[in-house]
């Protein structure tokens, strides 16, 4: 089932005027795990904020073309408001943490919806267990590590039970340990069926697990491929550091006839 369909999307910021997306078409199936890459300024955040309706409802911009998220146009029914269809995690975890105590933060969004206390307690526990923070439920949020904070943000969004999770460079404020914690969680969530779109520069860990790599370049989709093909075509021009050989090995399917070149050939080609 298609959950997101975008056709020929153009987004123009008004102040200062800037055409940020220039005819994007993208379709996302239920259960897809998509890695979005591209240099700073290529349009990743603009695309994410168009899918969740932040553009044009919060960030003023002109968005033309078709956007359908579970059959609805997010420009008219902004999905960021309820997180029922799409939940978005941004770069700075602190900007999405509202309470002093871990479990209160997860309960916050549910309370706002007027959920009965019994159901709410169940949801809070389920979400905190999922992200591995249940034993820290009574800890102050400001004492969490960066990775824990980002996992808390993800828990608070998961408690609202969105169908799609979108993350805009969720690890840019995190150290290596926190980054791996978040990536492991994404992998687990996707294995359990969650549709995930993640914009990220650190691709080594994610490459082996995603279904597709979508690369933006100057407001257009320059590449939309399975990971082993994307790696073979080269990701360096999209601001991605040369992926580790180990990740390449895991991403490439050796018996897959579609894989055009071997890892060794890839490095030959790149010299
Ligand atoms: P990325 O997320 O890939 O770094 P963005 O979507 O943030 O890229 O930016 C795409 C282009 O739009 C860039 O040229 C950026 O400067 C411009 N841009 C982003 N936000 C705004 C805004 N609020 N107003 C005007 N221009 C913007």
């Amino acid at each position: 089932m298609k959950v997101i369909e975008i056709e020929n999307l153009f987004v123009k910021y008004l102040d200062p005027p800037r055409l940020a997306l220039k005819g994007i078409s993208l379709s996302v199936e239920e259960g897809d795990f998509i890695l979005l890459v591209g240099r700073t300024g290529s349009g990743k955040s603009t695309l994410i904020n168009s899918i969740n309706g932040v553009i044009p409802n919060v960030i003023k911009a002109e968005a033309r073309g078709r956007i359908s998220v579970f059959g609805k146009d997010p420009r008219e029914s902004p999905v960021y408001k309820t997180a029922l269809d799409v939940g978005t995690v941004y770069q700075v975890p602190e900007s999405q943490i509202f309470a002093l105590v871990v479990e209160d933060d997860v309960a916050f969004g549910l309370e706002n919806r007027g959920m009965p206390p019994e159901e709410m307690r169940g949801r809070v526990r389920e979400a905190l267990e999922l992200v591995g923070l249940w034993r820290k439920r009574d800890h102050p949020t400001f004492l969490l590590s960066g990775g824990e904070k980002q996992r808390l943000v993800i828990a608070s969004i998961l408690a609202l039970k969105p169908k799609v999770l979108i993350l805009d460079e969720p690890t840019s404020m995190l150290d290596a340990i926190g980054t791996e914690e978040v990536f492991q969680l994404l992998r687990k969530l996707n294995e359990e069926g969650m549709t995930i779109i993640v914009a990220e520069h650190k691709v080594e860990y994610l490459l082996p697990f995603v279904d597709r790599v979508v690369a933006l370049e100057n407001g257009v989709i320059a590449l939309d491929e399975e990971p082993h093909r994307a790696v073979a075509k080269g990701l360096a021009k999209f601001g991605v550091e040369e992926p580790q050989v180990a990740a390449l090995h895991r991403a490439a399917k050796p018996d897959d006839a579609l894989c055009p070149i071997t890892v060794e050939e890839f490095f030959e080609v790149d010299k």
Side-chain angles (χ1 to χ4, degrees), residues 13 15-16 18 20 39-46 59:
Y13 289 104
D15 189 18
R18 168 102 208 174
R39 290 188 185 280
T40 303
S42 60
K44 302 181 297 297
S45 301
T46 306
I59 301 173

Side-chain angles (χ1 to χ4, degrees), residues 33 35 187 191 203-211 213 227-228 231 243-253:
F33 192 174
L35 172 62
R187 189 184 155 194
E191 279 169 3
V203 303
E204 298 88 3
Y205 185 94
L206 288 173
L207 265 180
F209 308 111
V210 297
D211 299 305
V213 180
H228 60 291
V231 166
Q244 308 282 316
V245 177
L248 282 169
H249 273 297
R250 278 175 280 150
K253 301 173 191 159

Side-chain angles (χ1 to χ4, degrees), residues 85-132:
D85 289 330
V86 173
T88 314
V89 176
Y90 290 96
Q91 287 185 7
V92 186
E94 283 82 356
S95 68
Q96 290 182 280
I97 292 176
F98 306 105
L100 206 62
V101 176
V102 167
E103 61 186 344
D104 293 348
D105 193 69
V106 182
F108 182 80
L110 304 173
E111 270 168 358
N112 276 354
R113 279 221 214 135
M115 186 174 282
E118 196 57 26
E119 192 184 347
M120 193 168 73
R121 274 194 291 276
R123 287 252 197 137
V124 169
R125 177 168 189 152
E126 197 185 357
L128 283 174
E129 280 180 344
L130 204 57
V131 305

Side-chain angles (χ1 to χ4, degrees), residues 172-191:
S172 57
M173 309 300 283
L174 307 187
D175 60 14
I177 295 169
T179 297
E180 188 153 344
E181 283 172 16
V182 169
F183 287 164
Q184 275 176 4
L185 173 60
L186 295 188
R187 189 184 155 194
K188 183 172 106 175
L189 291 172
N190 178 252
E191 279 169 3

